[in-house]
Amino acid sequence: MSEEKIDIFIYSVFLPNICDLNMKNIGVVSYGAYIPSCRIKTEEIAKAWGKDPETIIKGLGVIEKSVPFLDQDVATISVEAARAALNRISIDSQDIGAIYVGSESHPYAVKPTGTIVGEAIGATPYLKVADYEFACKAGTAAIQTCMALVKSNMVKYGMAIGADTSQAAPGDALEYAASAGGAAFIIGSENIIAEINETCSYTTDTPDFWRREGRKYPAHGGRFTGAPAYFRHIMGSATNLMNCMGVKPQDYNYAIFHQPNGKFPLKVAQMLGFTKEQVKQGLLCPLIGNTYSGASMLGLASVLDVAKPNERIFVTSYGSGAGSDSFDITVTDEIKNFNKTKAPLVSQLIEKKQYIDYATYAKFRDLLYWE
Amino acid sequence: MTQGGVSRFWREIPQRYNLIGNQCEVCETLFFPPRESCPTCRRKSVGKMKNKKLSGKGKIITYSIVHVAPEQFKGQAPYPIAIIELDEGPRLTSQIVECDLNDIKIGMRVEATFRKIQEEGYIGAIYYGYKFKPAKV
Amino acid sequence: MRDVSVIGIGLTKFGELWDKSFRQLISEAGAKAIIDSGIIGKEIDALYVGSMSAGRFVGQEHVGALVADASGFSHLHIPAIRVESACASGGLAIRQAYLSVASGMNDIVVVGGVEKMTDVYGEEATNILATASDQEWEAFFGATFPSLYAMIAARHMHEYGTTREQLAQVAVKNHSNGALNPNAQFQKPINIETVLKSSMVADPLTLMDCSPVSDGAAALVLCAADKAKNYKDKPIKIIGSGQASDTLALHARNKICTFESTLYAAKMAYKQAKLEPKDIDLAEVHDCFTIAEILAIEDLGFVEKGEGGKAIKNKITTIDGQIPINTSGGLKAKGHPVGATGVGQIAEIVEQLRGDAGKRQVKDAKIGLAHNIGGSGASCTVHILEAM
């Protein structure tokens, strides 16, 4: 992949730049993250399927991934992340006017995860809730919705959560990276620690990866998931945002891209003109895999864990189906007063781990059918 | 298709999600789960029981590792079950998570966390609630 | 309140009795008791039966009427009462029957206990037994019934230094007693290694620390003491009866390692009998798990609190000891058809006090005690009997 030149020129050449603009004083008030502590190594999965671990690790750039315990799911991960976000500030959870949970592995197909989170953090009953789905970018879509609700004064605070415990078919290439984790962001207009200067999205009907209703595992288009999907949409959204804002990659301290494996984000960063250094802090996939709806959100959380006032952050998520959301963020002085140590940092969550073997993994991920 | 039994466990969501107990306004004793009246103050406490959220922090009084588990918990066996005394006084029974089985000790400090307790097969409802993990001292 | 005597006892074998149904078991035990007592059917004033969960084991409620029918008494239209107190259903049925005679309401009463546990598969039996615990706040969260007693054992080990070997000794002793009991489910002695090496159920209790799933029934005939000699030369008098309750959940008790329900039920019985623990010659106690026997002998006052683990080594509770415990083999070796257990215990005491216990006979047995517990100690009945 790294040797190829990705040609997406044909898709974006005649489109004007469009941004919403008019964002002012809206941003992240707090955030929290959660990654389950179980890990399985790529080499363990490779051995189970008779593949060469070295080849897989080199090709995917994933060394190990996180696995949820039998009693963890998107609801429990979302609650952990939400509570972490609330532990870091002192707001009344009743002032949270909306919760949107984005995932592609909600515990129920019908019955929202958001209401479970709402009860668990004491935000009910005067609360707007819905669950979101847009493959891996459901969480960032939720952030955009919360921004709009805050901007229109419909809520004081909105909570956007991206979390997943995604399934991959046993033996499929996706099995090496499909992992579990999530992050919650509280969006508001008071005591903002990171101001969201602008956001835009780039969306088309591109079926690169999907899961039909009632089916257990997703299907995907193999190499089709590359140029026409991931790269086209991230490039489309990212260049649109930077053109609207009149900025260049060098203007940012950090860049976070969706990370389905350890290679794609580095490639797209290079294509856009970002350096490896800018991408490093937000690139978690090699050690925890692809947390799907949690991926870009956890990347942003990891950056906010270390960011300093006035540093500028660029985020572009990607969700199959397909679309990308981009954000231009500036860290404020308020981050100095922010109690990040009241909840685990992303680096701490990554370090807290215990390894399991493929048999235990199969039991946890319900790959074995039992009556 | 109708699935019965949900109301029985829905009713206890405040207890399972947020450890909401109650307190007798007369003698200030705390209870978990909440009681209709205080066993000590009896009729004087009727109507005087106030909801109270417990901190979720406590210590292990005794525990056992369950090897032979009922259907809903089969995949988790062996798992630790413990009687935990919350700092506010009331005791409860719950699983211990995020701890090596050999590291659990009587007297260990623990704190509540949010996990899936059980579910009714592949079709029924999922019940979430408290389990306890080691607390950072 | 007048005195009450036991004039007849009857027992089925305890075990996996595939060819005997719930109805067959109780009518067999009842018939044996009635024949043993010398009464005729028409003299029975009422029928009491203890059964923990006929509804879930055999899908049958309305057990009072059923047992009267199965026993052939429906045409007499006598009152038939089913009593439930989890594993103390038998003991409680006896107490209720006793009170009905002592109060003067009835002169002659048959009281039985029965459970048919093998018509459901093993795991379902475990789930049903768990209904003796707190379903909302213990079982729901993953506490199995054995794990509750395992937590008691863990705490007892922590507070008093009791060891797994001491727990195992209880199983060994009871199996050795059971080998002398033709009605017992297990009639082979075992050794400590077997207990310690058997599969773990809930740490520290292994499979051999736990009483089995059993079918069985037992019955007694109670009679007003002043009429008893009309039927039996050696009636056995109930001189003390006690019952007590406690919190349902183990975590809500005042102490983990003391069953206050035993303390209070025993106090009531000792007071009525005007006796102290040292006056008891032998006892059948509720050893649903090995740790339960250790707790029982402490709470009944036979040994000091915390010393229960040493009782076998010090030859206090062995069959040749100061106060033989569970000469029948206990729940552990004799079997534990839940509702029948409490009644079976009294049947053993009566046999001992009559001098009919064969190879298990305790010399000069004059006063015996039966102790029956429900769940993890939420209810308890204690009965004291004396040979007349």
Side-chain angles (χ1 to χ4, degrees):
Chain A
M1 182 106 269
S2 43
E3 307 315 315
E4 252 177 77
K5 190 166 172 300
I6 314 260
D7 188 0
I8 56 150
F9 176 73
I10 51 166
Y11 301 117
S12 52
V13 71
F14 295 116
L15 296 173
N17 294 118
I18 298 180
C19 279
D20 303 317
L21 293 169
N22 290 325
M23 287 293 146
K24 211 171 165 72
N25 253 349
I26 296 186
V28 178
V29 171
S30 181
Y31 67 96
Y34 184 76
I35 303 169
S37 59
C38 261
R39 301 280 183 276
I40 184 167
K41 294 192 169 135
T42 300
E43 72 179 271
E44 185 67 31
I45 302 174
K47 278 198 293 201
W49 296 104
K51 300 266 189 292
D52 174 41
E54 285 307 306
T55 313
I56 309 266
I57 294 175
K58 220 162 148 244
L60 286 178
V62 178
I63 299 165
E64 54 195 43
K65 68 170 188 177
S66 59
V67 183
F69 283 99
L70 273 170
D71 58 357
Q72 293 185 303
D73 62 13
V74 164
T76 68
I77 292 173
S78 298
V79 169
E80 293 266 15
R83 285 179 174 176
L86 283 166
N87 283 344
R88 285 167 159 165
I89 48 170
S90 48
I91 62 167
D92 185 350
S93 54
Q94 286 283 301
D95 285 338
I96 295 177
I99 300 179
Y100 297 95
V101 181
S103 177
E104 47 184 286
S105 52
H106 287 289
Y108 295 88
V110 177
K111 195 209 116 36
T113 307
T115 56
I116 299 170
V117 176
E119 287 284 1
I121 62 170
T124 54
Y126 298 112
L127 184 66
K128 300 179 206 0
V129 170
D131 277 4
Y132 275 15
E133 185 280 311
F134 196 142
C136 302
K137 82 160 191 75
T140 52
I143 292 180
Q144 290 176 324
T145 304
C146 287
M147 287 168 66
L149 289 173
V150 168
K151 182 176 181 197
S152 58
N153 280 322
M154 280 173 74
V155 300
K156 187 166 180 199
Y157 300 107
M159 181 180 274
I161 300 176
D164 253 303
T165 57
S166 249
Q167 289 276 34
D172 184 76
L174 291 172
E175 196 177 21
Y176 296 100
S179 65
F185 284 77
I186 301 179
I187 308 294
S189 53
E190 288 173 15
N191 299 113
I192 303 168
I193 60 170
E195 185 166 347
I196 304 178
N197 308 312
E198 185 52 86
T199 183
C200 69
S201 298
Y202 184 101
T203 308
T204 70
D205 185 0
T206 303
D208 59 312
F209 166 106
W210 64 90
R211 181 165 63 82
R212 293 289 299 278
E213 178 63 58
R215 308 312 294 181
K216 201 165 169 195
Y217 302 117
H220 56 91
R223 287 187 57 81
F224 183 70
T225 60
Y230 179 90
F231 291 95
R232 173 185 175 183
H233 295 79
I234 291 193
M235 294 288 287
S237 186
T239 46
N240 184 39
L241 183 67
M242 287 196 282
N243 289 342
C244 279
M245 301 291 285
V247 294
K248 293 188 182 42
Q250 301 89 295
D251 296 329
Y252 293 98
N253 300 87
Y254 300 99
I256 300 145
F257 297 102
H258 174 54
Q259 34 206 279
N261 53 56
K263 296 298 184 71
F264 274 23
L266 292 172
K267 179 71 186 166
V268 83
Q270 182 195 47
M271 286 162 69
L272 285 166
F274 288 94
T275 66
K276 266 205 184 121
E277 276 312 299
Q278 287 170 304
V279 175
K280 208 166 81 155
Q281 183 65 24
L283 185 60
L284 312 175
C285 185
L287 289 178
I288 60 169
N290 177 7
T291 52
Y292 284 59
S293 299
S296 307
M297 315 266 284
L298 277 169
L300 177 57
S302 170
V303 165
L304 288 175
D305 279 347
V306 302
K308 298 191 188 42
N310 295 318
E311 289 192 310
R312 205 149 169 196
I313 307 172
F314 183 82
V315 186
T316 300
S317 64
Y318 172 73
S320 289
S324 281
D325 302 326
S326 290
F327 301 84
D328 178 312
I329 297 171
T330 303
V331 181
T332 70
D333 273 333
E334 189 60 37
I335 204 161
K336 287 194 290 212
N337 303 333
F338 181 65
N339 267 322
K340 69 182 178 193
T341 53
K342 286 272 168 141
L345 303 179
V346 173
S347 54
Q348 290 170 328
L349 291 166
I350 293 178
E351 272 155 36
K352 179 167 191 280
K353 57 184 173 175
Q354 55 190 109
Y355 290 104
I356 56 172
D357 60 13
Y358 194 81
T360 309
Y361 170 80
K363 189 170 79 165
F364 282 2
R365 299 272 60 218
D366 203 20
L367 303 182
L368 312 166
Y369 175 66
W370 29 5
E371 280 286 339
Chain B
M1 45 188 282
T2 41
Q3 276 269 302
V6 276
S7 53
R8 195 172 143 211
F9 300 110
W10 152 81
R11 205 172 284 128
E12 290 161 359
I13 281 179
Q15 278 67 60
R16 291 203 317 273
Y17 286 21
N18 289 315
L19 285 171
I20 308 286
N22 65 3
Q23 184 172 36
C24 170
E25 285 178 19
V26 178
C27 70
E28 295 192 347
T29 313
L30 280 156
F31 300 102
F32 184 85
R35 299 191 79 100
E36 298 299 310
S37 63
C38 171
T40 318
C41 305
R42 299 212 272 252
R43 73 187 69 185
K44 286 189 266 178
S45 69
V46 173
K48 293 213 169 76
M49 304 295 288
K50 205 170 50 182
N51 272 358
K52 192 121 173 139
K53 184 171 149 82
L54 301 175
S55 68
K57 296 194 168 49
K59 66 175 193 245
I60 294 179
I61 296 295
T62 179
Y63 71 97
S64 171
I65 312 293
V66 177
H67 289 256
V68 176
E71 188 66 46
Q72 314 92 303
F73 296 90
K74 244 208 187 90
Q76 298 175 37
Y79 60 83
I81 193 86
I83 291 181
I84 292 150
E85 185 174 276
L86 299 173
D87 287 344
E88 295 92 337
R91 289 178 174 178
L92 46 70
T93 301
S94 181
Q95 281 177 278
I96 305 290
V97 293
E98 305 277 4
C99 188
D100 195 278
L101 298 184
N102 297 320
D103 292 340
I104 306 180
K105 300 267 176 299
I106 291 180
M108 198 169 105
R109 295 281 309 162
V110 290
E111 60 191 6
T113 185
F114 187 86
R115 290 289 178 101
K116 196 159 56 162
I117 304 296
Q118 51 171 284
E119 57 198 358
E120 290 181 13
Y122 288 109
I123 303 181
I126 304 173
Y127 302 116
Y128 297 92
Y130 51 77
K131 295 196 185 184
F132 283 76
K133 62 182 183 189
K136 296 177 224 9
V137 177
Chain C
M1 296 276 278
R2 58 186 181 166
D3 287 334
V4 181
S5 295
V6 179
I7 57 172
I9 59 172
L11 278 167
T12 66
K13 271 176 129 68
F14 286 4
E16 283 179 328
L17 310 173
W18 302 108
D19 47 353
K20 295 258 163 84
S21 71
F22 182 92
R23 300 169 195 213
Q24 285 171 311
L25 289 168
I26 189 61
S27 39
E28 180 185 324
K32 282 183 178 165
I34 290 168
I35 293 169
D36 179 45
S37 68
I39 61 165
I40 56 171
K42 274 204 299 224
E43 297 176 279
I44 301 174
D45 293 322
L47 195 151
Y48 284 79
V49 61
S51 164
M52 171 175 165
S53 197
R56 286 186 67 167
F57 281 121
V58 295
Q60 180 69 63
E61 298 291 12
H62 219 163
V63 171
L66 169 64
V67 171
D69 189 351
S71 313
F73 294 126
S74 297
H75 64 287
L76 298 176
H77 304 291
I78 53 172
I81 301 100
R82 182 262 191 105
V83 174
E84 184 274 326
S85 187
C87 330
S89 294
L92 187 57
I94 291 173
R95 177 164 165 83
Q96 297 301 98
Y98 160 79
L99 289 173
S100 79
V101 176
S103 66
M105 188 75 193
N106 297 316
D107 283 332
I108 295 182
V109 165
V110 179
V111 49
V114 55
E115 213 77 48
K116 174 77 193 162
M117 298 173 73
T118 57
D119 276 353
V120 295
Y121 71 101
E123 201 165 284
E124 182 59 11
T126 313
N127 285 346
I128 299 171
L129 287 172
T131 57
S133 66
D134 188 329
Q135 286 291 94
E136 310 278 309
W137 303 102
E138 290 180 316
F140 182 79
F141 288 91
T144 60
F145 195 63
S147 76
L148 296 175
Y149 275 90
M151 286 200 280
I152 295 174
R155 187 77 203 178
H156 204 273
M157 288 158 78
H158 175 85
E159 277 186 54
Y160 305 112
T162 305
T163 64
R164 281 192 62 207
E165 285 75 16
Q166 288 171 333
L167 294 174
Q169 280 168 358
V170 173
V172 170
K173 164 181 80 70
N174 289 349
H175 272 262
S176 128
N177 292 351
L180 307 169
N181 183 351
N183 283 325
Q185 184 165 351
F186 299 116
Q187 300 194 12
K188 272 210 320 226
I190 58 173
N191 61 26
I192 298 225
E193 275 310 289
T194 314
V195 183
L196 294 176
K197 292 221 157 81
S198 67
S199 61
M200 197 56 90
V201 172
D203 206 329
L205 301 178
T206 67
L207 191 60
M208 297 301 280
D209 282 300
C210 307
S211 56
V213 159
S214 331
D215 303 324
L220 313 173
V221 179
L222 303 185
C223 175
D226 54 11
K227 298 189 170 65
K229 281 246 158 72
N230 298 346
Y231 302 97
K232 226 50 191 167
D233 292 329
K234 275 199 330 197
I236 307 294
K237 202 181 338 172
I238 298 177
I239 57 172
S241 170
Q243 183 195 350
S245 61
D246 201 341
T247 64
L248 184 56
L250 179 63
H251 61 244
R253 306 277 165 74
N254 283 332
K255 296 205 186 68
I256 304 286
C257 295
T258 299
F259 280 175
E260 286 186 323
S261 59
T262 302
L263 294 182
Y264 282 84
K267 195 158 86 162
M268 204 189 284
Y270 284 134
K271 184 162 175 233
Q272 182 184 356
K274 298 195 182 54
L275 292 176
E276 288 172 6
K278 64 175 173 52
D279 301 318
I280 308 295
D281 293 323
L282 75 151
E284 288 284 296
V285 310
H286 196 89
D287 62 323
C288 48
F289 300 90
T290 48
I291 180 66
E293 176 169 314
I294 291 178
L295 240 66
I297 59 177
E298 292 172 355
D299 296 334
L300 289 167
F302 301 142
V303 294
E304 289 290 306
K305 182 43 81 181
E307 301 290 296
K310 306 185 194 129
I312 293 171
K313 181 140 175 281
N314 296 344
K315 288 201 173 294
I316 299 175
T317 56
T318 47
I319 200 165
D320 52 350
Q322 259 175 264
I323 170 164
I325 299 290
N326 286 335
T327 53
S328 64
L331 279 59
K332 178 73 195 69
K334 180 183 80 208
H336 183 31
V338 184
T341 285
V343 184
Q345 288 175 328
I346 303 265
E348 173 73 4
I349 299 291
V350 168
E351 278 206 300
Q352 288 278 1
L353 298 182
R354 282 177 180 175
D356 289 344
K359 291 199 217 147
R360 312 186 305 283
Q361 186 63 52
V362 169
K363 263 177 60 145
D364 300 322
K366 289 242 155 17
I367 299 178
L369 181 147
H371 162 263
N372 197 197
I373 286 279
S376 65
S379 65
C380 176
T381 61
V382 171
H383 288 92
I384 304 177
L385 294 92
E386 184 174 15
M388 294 278 84

